[in-house]
Amino acid sequence: MSADNSLAEDILKLLDKRQKLNSLSLSNELSIDHQRLVGAIKSLQSIGELIRCQQTETKRLDLTQEGRHIADNGSHEAIVFNAVPAGDDGGIEQSLLMKIIGNPSVAKLGFSKAMSQKWIAIDKSSNKSIVKRNVQSIEDEVQVLLKKIGSLTIDEVSDQQKQDLKKRKLIQEVVVKSYDIEKGDNFTLNIVKQETDLTAEMISKNTWKDKQFKDYNFDAMGIAPDRGHLHPLLKVREQFRQIFLEMGFSEMPTNRFVESSFWNFDALFVPQKHPARDLQDTFFLADPANCTQLPVEYMEKVRSVHSSGDFGSQGYQYDWKTEETQKNVLRTHTTAVSARMLYQLAQECQRDGKPFKAAKLFSIDRVFRNETLDATHLAEFHQIEGVVADVGVTLGDLMGLIQEFFLKLGIKRLRFKPTYNPYTEPSMEVYSYHDGLKKWVEIGNSGVFRPEMLLPMGLPPNVNVLGWGLGLERPTMIKYGIDNIRDLCGHKVDLQMVYDNPVCILENH
Ligand code: PHE
């Protein structure tokens, strides 16, 4: 028989003797943890009509941490009194007294209480403030009261005392729930073990007739089915994907984390001396360090637009190097994927002679930057990017698209601020008004791709390409109330967080 079964039997025996019991006083009497006792009472209660049970609430006074300290060590005023030397020529300089006591808040409060109790007085007959005892001895009533507070009922302490001790934050009122129990209609001292299952054996041996069966608990929670759980980033990504799909965009293939500098930078008209191409900002691959499969003809056009200028642009006027463009990197933005797609689009109409087909494309995937890690930055994160290529589309179209896109996220107030990207002109940072922070915060970057990028690819000159991008982590952290990115990604992620977080439904969507 388990320990708690025997506890349940003890309760029955006591109940038989006394007719009535209260769980709290019983737990004191038997020195048994109240919770354990309640467990045993509940198990008795589940056996039909064995006992009658009623929950009651009693208020009790409990010591706060400071209250406990005073119960053990004496009140602040007593500490101050005791620190003042006794005797007629006793006394101590006030500043020294405060120093001896050490803890400034004990000293200050204790001093003023001891003064108002007239336990001590200040003698200013010399030039100094000398604190002297005013009485021979004191009775530390506060300590005495606090010491016995646990064993008093709430009515045994006067209202004045309660108010005073509460104001000093030495006691607090706690509500204790307990159970009053009485014998039920089917009271017995012999608990028959209730069956939870009707077995084949009980039926074949006909023993079921003599058994007692436990009632079903229809309020019990079901067992959560075992299943996989999506990480918050994946849930939010799915919502962004839905928004793009609703707006008629198709997804770009983003399964290429390792990219050549050519597609990540040069095709985007990022000069080879650009600071983003430093070791400090970009991860370069050691093996394979170089990419040798680059479209030669197109690469030569990129070389000429960078080094000597072309298509009406004077370029950057520098010595463009093949070795530099071949260097493999972990892609630093998904715009590398957009560049590949736009080149493919140009190829279809140039090489295959098909008419230019307008395109609306999007991607959401991982990018890598050699960042200093902190609460909001990791070396890898996710970008969301939209690209629209069509004849004659304008900056106004881009602003409208961005407005529409963010509206679907529930973000209404937008502002655009001119900025610089090597591959777009004009370029705009996107800001939204954050109601919580009460300020405008940057939420994305955008622009109209430069002819220096599009014309070498072979896109028709009347085709404009619009693009915008934003991070996935920030909206996810806001959505799920996570303020440190390390709680979202990496080895410190609490899997319970992944398990517990609900599906993502973005406002307005
Ligand atoms: N690639 C930019 C970034 O990393 C975003 C962007 C995409 C800007 C498309 C303009 C056009 O921030």
Side-chain angles (χ1 to χ4, degrees):
M1 189 185 287
S2 78
D4 281 353
N5 254 345
S6 79
L7 177 59
E9 290 197 341
D10 289 347
I11 295 172
L12 289 181
K13 278 183 207 145
L14 279 171
L15 196 57
D16 196 29
K17 255 193 254 163
R18 302 187 196 166
Q19 311 303 323
K20 264 186 184 179
L21 294 172
N22 172 272
S23 61
L24 204 59
S25 21
L26 197 60
S27 92
N28 279 336
E29 183 185 330
L30 304 178
S31 309
I32 288 176
D33 175 58
H34 187 234
Q35 244 357 76
R36 214 187 116 204
L37 198 70
V38 169
I41 292 172
K42 291 238 158 126
S43 75
L44 287 174
Q45 203 186 6
S46 71
I47 307 174
E49 298 302 310
L50 192 58
I51 57 168
R52 253 194 293 279
C53 212
Q54 203 172 12
Q55 200 181 42
T56 59
E57 286 187 356
T58 36
K59 280 191 187 158
R60 203 163 48 84
L61 294 173
D62 223 1
L63 296 181
T64 61
Q65 206 182 352
E66 194 177 347
R68 190 154 305 125
H69 189 79
I70 287 182
D72 294 340
N73 302 295
S75 68
H76 297 350
E77 50 271 39
I79 291 174
V80 169
F81 178 82
N82 290 330
V84 176
D88 279 347
D89 13 287
I92 180 170
E93 207 178 318
Q94 189 177 354
S95 55
L96 187 59
L97 171 67
M98 300 314 240
K99 223 179 271 165
I100 288 177
I101 290 167
N103 182 334
S105 64
V106 172
K108 235 174 109 186
L109 191 81
F111 187 82
S112 78
K113 288 262 173 205
M115 282 294 284
S116 69
Q117 302 256 46
K118 300 207 170 19
W119 288 354
I120 54 170
I122 298 181
D123 177 358
K124 286 198 172 151
S125 57
S126 65
N127 260 345
K128 297 172 184 157
S129 292
I130 305 291
V131 183
K132 290 190 166 168
R133 287 192 179 187
N134 216 12
V135 289
Q136 297 268 314
S137 64
I138 52 155
E139 196 189 344
D140 191 355
E141 282 169 11
V142 175
Q143 182 185 25
V144 173
L145 182 59
L146 288 179
K147 266 193 170 161
K148 59 180 184 191
I149 218 123
S151 55
L152 298 176
T153 66
I154 198 153
D155 303 320
E156 285 170 314
V157 183
S158 79
D159 284 348
Q160 182 60 45
Q161 282 173 321
K162 263 184 281 196
Q163 223 176 20
D164 195 41
L165 294 178
K166 268 193 218 164
K167 213 169 110 202
R168 290 180 72 173
K169 296 203 169 63
L170 302 181
I171 56 165
Q172 62 204 6
E173 252 176 52
V174 285
V175 177
V176 195
K177 289 186 176 149
S178 64
Y179 289 89
D180 287 331
I181 51 176
E182 289 177 335
K183 289 181 179 179
D185 291 343
N186 297 335
F187 182 83
T188 163
L189 286 177
N190 307 313
I191 316 171
V192 182
K193 188 175 163 280
Q194 290 188 308
E195 301 294 338
T196 48
D197 249 338
L198 178 64
T199 61
E201 198 188 317
M202 289 178 200
I203 296 171
S204 65
K205 295 191 175 156
N206 227 8
T207 51
W208 62 270
K209 285 184 178 165
D210 309 318
K211 304 261 182 216
Q212 277 189 30
F213 289 89
K214 199 169 185 162
D215 284 345
Y216 281 115
N217 177 4
F218 292 107
D219 296 328
M221 297 283 273
I223 297 168
D226 264 343
R227 66 206 187 287
H229 292 268
L230 291 178
H231 187 275
L233 280 174
L234 296 180
K235 296 182 196 168
V236 178
R237 181 175 80 167
E238 191 49 34
Q239 290 299 304
F240 277 104
R241 180 181 273 142
Q242 285 308 320
I243 290 175
F244 275 118
L245 292 174
E246 271 175 29
M247 289 173 75
F249 284 65
S250 26
E251 191 160 7
M252 301 188 243
T254 48
N255 53 349
R256 194 191 287 269
F257 291 177
V258 174
E259 188 54 278
S260 60
S261 289
F262 179 77
W263 288 109
N264 195 77
F265 296 120
D266 293 290
L268 290 160
F269 201 51
V270 180
Q272 293 189 328
K273 286 268 142 40
H274 192 280
R277 300 177 71 153
D278 269 3
L279 271 174
Q280 281 90 339
D281 289 306
T282 298
F283 291 116
F284 288 86
L285 260 72
D287 188 16
N290 294 310
C291 165
T292 46
Q293 283 168 305
L294 295 172
V296 181
E297 212 179 309
Y298 169 44
M299 192 177 89
E300 286 314 313
K301 289 190 179 141
V302 170
R303 179 200 305 280
S304 85
V305 79
H306 277 245
S307 55
S308 52
D310 207 346
F311 308 100
S313 164
Q314 62 180 29
Y316 295 119
Q317 305 293 327
Y318 71 102
D319 185 15
W320 189 88
K321 292 208 170 68
T322 311
E323 302 89 81
E324 195 59 43
T325 210
Q326 285 178 334
K327 286 183 183 166
N328 278 329
V329 299
L330 291 181
R331 70 172 173 222
T332 62
H333 52 184
T334 45
T335 320
V337 183
S338 304
R340 281 180 176 271
M341 295 303 287
L342 290 168
Y343 174 69
Q344 202 175 309
L345 214 60
Q347 286 281 288
E348 277 166 18
C349 58
Q350 245 200 351
R351 187 191 56 205
D352 310 340
K354 292 184 190 152
F356 170 76
K357 233 172 74 205
K360 296 203 278 186
L361 305 166
F362 77 94
S363 63
I364 310 174
D365 211 338
R366 197 174 301 196
V367 299
F368 307 84
R369 290 189 196 168
N370 200 352
E371 297 262 9
T372 312
L373 311 185
D374 63 24
T376 52
H377 292 90
L378 286 182
E380 40 181 301
F381 57 99
H382 294 76
Q383 281 190 330
I384 304 166
E385 183 157 315
V387 170
V388 171
D390 203 354
V391 173
V393 284
T394 65
L395 186 71
D397 292 319
L398 176 60
M399 292 166 89
L401 272 167
I402 293 174
Q403 210 111 42
E404 175 74 16
F405 176 80
F406 282 107
L407 194 60
K408 284 181 179 283
L409 291 170
I411 297 174
K412 294 187 190 78
R413 291 173 73 188
L414 289 188
R415 270 186 189 170
F416 297 95
K417 178 179 162 192
T419 185
Y420 173 79
N421 294 316
Y423 39 91
T424 52
E425 180 61 34
S427 312
M428 303 178 297
E429 281 172 352
V430 187
Y431 283 75
S432 93
Y433 190 77
H434 194 293
D435 283 329
L437 298 175
K438 299 240 173 302
K439 64 175 188 184
W440 292 88
V441 291
E442 193 195 330
I443 51 171
N445 184 7
S446 65
V448 181
F449 285 106
R450 277 180 169 273
E452 287 96 329
M453 166 182 161
L454 303 180
L455 296 176
M457 289 178 170
L459 281 170
N462 57 353
V463 168
N464 284 338
V465 182
L466 317 171
W468 75 97
L470 62 146
L472 177 64
E473 277 73 5
R474 185 127 59 127
T476 305
M477 286 168 74
I478 293 172
K479 179 79 206 166
Y480 287 100
I482 297 168
D483 58 11
N484 191 327
I485 198 157
R486 295 180 193 111
D487 295 334
L488 182 70
C489 314
H491 65 287
K492 286 189 179 157
V493 168
D494 176 7
L495 288 181
Q496 197 63 36
M497 176 278 290
V498 177
Y499 193 93
D500 291 340
N501 273 329
V503 290
C504 169
I505 296 167
L506 297 171
E507 298 78 15
N508 245 33
H509 191 62

